[in-house]
Amino acid sequence: MELPLDNRETKNLIYAYYKREVEKRKQEFILTDELKDAMSKVGDFLTTETRFYGLFMPGSIGNGKTTMLKAIRDLLVYLVETDKISYCEGDKYPRFVKARDLANAIIEDRNEFRAIKNTKFLLIDDLGAEPTEVIAYGMHFQPFDELLDYRYEQMLPTFISSNLTALDISQKYDDPRIDDRMREMFQILSFEEVSFR
């Protein structure tokens, strides 16, 4: 991915934004070895050129995936606001959406769904909680399939958290193209730590 930021500074910012998010929710921030390792891996992913242009974070409920996604979002916002990265078109800031909202947007507001698809940096929280198919006026839509296909073709940076494993995702969406594209697009960072809740 290779953001224009020093690796150490990136990791420090991820730490600060993660800690701020935990404290904002009136929780105690506990820096475990697993969390420190996850922050380091996220920092490496963001500052190192690899073949991947997405980060998939599977894991059980309550172990920090959403908080990490928000820390990544806040880092990207910081980079936009300090003119270290810019947008050629579309949204100025990264988009953070719940997977359930994708399913709603595809039938309720196609323009919003198009904007989500086109945003430069997209962060999707809780993939797998949404229906794989929605029906409106007799038309069948597969929101994640359509979104992933588009972002794959455009090679747009995408960050996803999910309570499902890569195998669960493959079974839920039951489409070999999704499985194949996710393998090509995403580096996987598993959150195996016990729940903080």
Side-chain angles (χ1 to χ4, degrees):
M1 178 139 174
E2 204 168 14
L3 291 175
L5 200 60
D6 173 73
N7 182 274
R8 185 182 194 125
E9 185 181 1
T10 300
K11 291 176 183 180
N12 287 340
L13 287 167
I14 289 290
Y15 169 86
Y17 291 131
Y18 191 101
K19 184 175 186 286
R20 183 179 74 180
E21 186 64 30
V22 169
E23 291 170 348
K24 187 166 72 174
R25 301 195 56 78
K26 302 194 183 311
Q27 299 293 317
E28 180 185 356
F29 175 72
I30 301 167
L31 184 61
T32 63
D33 289 340
E34 292 83 3
L35 180 56
K36 190 186 292 185
D37 184 54
M39 288 177 178
S40 180
K41 287 178 179 172
V42 167
D44 290 341
F45 172 78
L46 292 171
T47 57
T48 307
E49 179 62 43
T50 68
R51 69 179 182 88
F52 299 109
Y53 45 98
L55 186 63
F56 177 60
M57 298 182 289
S60 58
I61 295 169
N63 60 11
K65 299 179 306 297
T66 299
T67 304
M68 185 65 77
L69 215 53
K70 289 180 177 179
I72 294 168
R73 175 204 57 202
D74 292 348
L75 172 66
L76 294 170
V77 167
Y78 163 77
L79 292 174
V80 169
E81 290 180 345
T82 57
D83 293 322
K84 290 185 176 21
I85 58 174
S86 61
Y87 286 66
C88 298
E89 56 187 270
D91 292 327
K92 179 178 179 183
Y93 293 105
R95 286 273 187 134
F96 183 98
V97 298
K98 294 282 189 184
R100 287 184 306 273
D101 296 335
L102 290 176
N104 294 334
I106 200 167
I107 57 174
E108 293 173 6
D109 189 345
R110 289 293 291 178
N111 288 332
E112 173 66 7
F113 186 76
R114 223 173 278 112
I116 291 169
K117 271 190 346 185
N118 280 301
T119 193
K120 184 169 181 180
F121 292 102
L122 178 62
L123 302 100
I124 304 170
D125 189 33
D126 211 10
L127 182 69
E130 84 290 357
T132 56
E133 183 176 72
V134 291
I135 303 168
Y137 306 108
M139 296 182 66
H140 295 254
F141 299 98
Q142 295 172 312
F144 181 63
D145 193 358
E146 183 178 328
L147 177 126
L148 185 72
D149 189 50
Y150 182 82
R151 295 188 70 78
Y152 169 83
E153 292 297 332
Q154 302 300 314
M155 297 180 73
L156 293 168
T158 309
F159 303 85
I160 297 176
S161 76
S162 180
N163 294 331
L164 303 178
T165 65
L167 178 61
D168 294 335
I169 296 273
S170 177
Q171 292 171 348
K172 176 176 174 71
Y173 297 99
D174 194 29
D175 183 343
R177 286 181 323 113
I178 287 180
D179 188 44
D180 185 59
R181 290 188 171 156
M182 286 194 73
R183 286 179 195 278
E184 185 176 332
M185 285 176 71
F186 293 97
Q187 180 172 318
I188 297 174
L189 173 58
S190 294
F191 277 66
E192 299 169 358
E193 191 167 282
V194 295
S195 176
F196 288 129
R197 293 183 190 148

